[in-house]
Amino acid sequence: MKKDLVAHAATRSASVVGLAQKLIRRPSRGGIDDYGPVLEVLEGWLSGQGLPHRRLHDRTGDLVGLLVEIVGGRPGPWWTLDACVDTAPFGDEEAWSFPPTAGDVVGGFLRGRGSADSKLAASVFCHLAAELLPSAAGLRGGLSVLLDVDEHTGGFGGARAFLEDSQAVTPAGVMIGYPGMDDVVVGGRGLWRATLTVTADSGHSGSSRTVLGAVSRAARLVQLLDAADLPGAPEAGALFSLPPKMSVTAVHGGEGFSVTADRCDLHIDVRTTPAFDARDAETLVRGAATTLDAELPGPTATRVTPVASWPPYQLQPHEQPAAAVLDAAASLGITVQPKTAGPSNIGNMLAGHGISAIAGFGVPYVGLHGIDERASLAELPEVYAVYLRAVRSLMDAH
């Protein structure tokens, strides 16, 4: 059975790679390139396969993705396969040993920006949908394939448009096509982000009157935040294995040499856990701001402006869709470990909507978001086979 399924998947590999190559050759850097060309490639392929699909637009009317929908013939939950088709920037193109939009295959690797994250996965998911379409009547529930952009900007415009689309069925779970065969991400730390605005009286740096500027007050606030008491790492075997983390990620204030700044803004990023959530993060940061104002008073209280909050989340290996992918991999003799990720991902946003999500299972890769990005193709049949078995299991295919 294992050999038959992988052999079947291998017959799809050339077509999967061919579509991925076309996608890679359409630059779609998040926030830089026009997303139209790469989405048009997908639209053409989907139309050629007779797959029902439609465009997704954000609140301003911009095109932010495509949604494929296959309705099963029997009642049941819906499931979503999600792969972004925008990419990270190219970086220093002179440092690449091949063009970032090469889209060629050399030494068993598909080369170019987006080969690993996540144009190859997008092609895999499109082909899975095409394979399942003829047997839709025997499927339980439904399958949607989300091909989104605006992911690498951090805006997640495509995913947000999907969640806000009144016509789309809210899925029971989402499988996100990130690369890597060793782990399946079943959880992640959440985040709470804020801008802190520190003020001071302005003055001339050469004046005989001593003025404690906003930059100096902000520096003290950074010290207070860096010294904040966060919970330590959980005990071995804890359900959620990562501790919270706080970082001051940006400082903006002042200009020139002769004027003492009257304002300085800090960006604060707190990675949250079930034991230290967004409310705890905000309480801690506001406490540090209050301490600063008591120690080094300014003309106005330090202002804390929250800008983003996602909850931490974690699925158990027996929960869907994690179980379907882990079981499918095990049935093919592939050892995959469930993992709780330190960085937040789109799964956190989905968790905020009550939707279970996993990230990863994909081919091995090199240079993700860096120089000479490329994806290994030797394992592609196995990856395809795992997803095919997992989706058919979730949809109780007859």
Side-chain angles (χ1 to χ4, degrees):
M1 178 68 72
K2 170 187 173 180
K3 290 183 178 179
D4 290 345
L5 187 59
V6 174
H8 164 78
T11 65
R12 302 289 194 274
S13 292
S15 180
V16 170
V17 173
L19 176 58
Q21 289 179 298
K22 292 178 181 178
L23 298 175
I24 293 167
R25 290 166 182 159
R26 300 297 190 277
S28 53
R29 294 164 291 178
I32 298 174
D33 295 313
D34 177 10
Y35 301 133
V38 73
L39 292 173
E40 287 171 5
V41 169
L42 287 167
E43 283 185 305
W45 191 91
L46 295 170
S47 296
Q49 300 296 315
L51 280 163
H53 63 279
R54 54 193 173 85
R55 293 185 170 193
L56 294 174
H57 297 87
D58 64 16
R59 294 179 180 179
T60 66
D62 289 337
L63 177 63
V64 289
L66 302 173
L67 184 64
V68 181
E69 294 170 307
I70 298 177
V71 182
R74 297 182 291 143
W78 278 63
W79 305 94
T80 297
L81 298 170
D82 171 34
C84 65
V85 291
D86 69 319
T87 72
F90 295 154
D92 181 3
E93 295 186 49
E94 293 186 0
W96 287 64
S97 63
F98 51 84
T101 56
D104 55 3
V105 177
V106 176
F109 283 85
L110 175 62
R111 308 193 306 173
R113 177 63 83 225
S115 56
D117 184 14
S118 290
K119 292 180 176 181
L120 184 60
S123 181
V124 167
F125 291 168
C126 286
H127 281 77
L128 286 171
E131 184 162 350
L132 290 169
L133 180 62
S135 59
L139 301 179
R140 188 164 64 92
L143 177 71
S144 53
V145 178
L146 174 61
L147 305 163
D148 56 320
V149 294
D150 192 39
E151 197 264 9
H152 284 83
T153 63
F156 298 102
R160 292 182 189 278
F162 169 57
L163 294 173
E164 294 172 359
D165 190 324
S166 60
Q167 300 179 55
V169 179
T170 300
V174 177
M175 291 157 276
I176 304 165
Y178 290 158
M181 291 188 72
D182 296 332
D183 307 303
V184 170
V185 174
V186 296
R189 286 190 292 205
L191 61 80
W192 181 83
R193 290 174 176 165
T195 298
L196 277 59
T197 302
V198 179
T199 61
D201 294 323
S202 61
H204 196 289
S205 60
S207 171
S208 59
R209 182 172 69 94
T210 300
V211 175
L212 184 65
V215 172
S216 296
R217 294 191 72 231
R220 175 56 181 153
L221 181 54
V222 172
Q223 290 179 324
L224 291 169
L225 292 168
D226 284 345
D229 187 18
L230 295 174
E235 296 181 2
L239 184 63
F240 199 98
S241 59
L242 295 171
K245 180 182 180 182
M246 179 164 58
S247 305
V248 180
T249 58
V251 179
H252 303 284
E255 184 176 357
F257 291 92
S258 61
V259 178
T260 303
D262 61 1
R263 172 173 173 158
C264 190
D265 293 309
L266 308 180
H267 291 181
I268 310 299
D269 180 280
V270 185
R271 297 306 166 113
T272 60
T273 70
F276 188 84
D277 61 15
R279 181 178 298 179
D280 297 318
E282 184 166 359
T283 298
L284 185 149
V285 170
R286 289 189 182 277
T290 299
T291 299
L292 171 72
D293 293 338
E295 286 186 6
L296 303 173
T300 61
T302 298
R303 186 167 69 250
V304 178
T305 306
V307 296
S309 180
W310 287 354
Y313 79 102
Q314 184 166 30
L315 299 181
Q316 291 303 296
H318 66 272
E319 294 181 282
Q320 299 293 11
V325 173
L326 293 171
D327 290 349
S331 72
L332 297 176
I334 303 170
T335 301
V336 184
Q337 298 297 324
K339 174 184 177 181
T340 302
S344 304
N345 61 60
I346 196 172
N348 297 86
M349 185 178 75
L350 293 167
H353 290 264
I355 300 171
S356 299
I358 61 171
F361 187 71
V363 300
Y365 60 89
V366 178
L368 182 74
H369 291 183
I371 304 303
D372 287 356
E373 180 179 345
R374 53 202 187 275
S376 175
L377 297 179
E379 299 82 1
L380 179 58
E382 291 179 307
V383 169
Y384 187 98
V386 165
Y387 276 111
L388 179 59
R389 173 163 285 190
V391 172
R392 290 180 63 86
S393 172
L394 289 168
M395 302 184 75
D396 190 25
H398 283 178

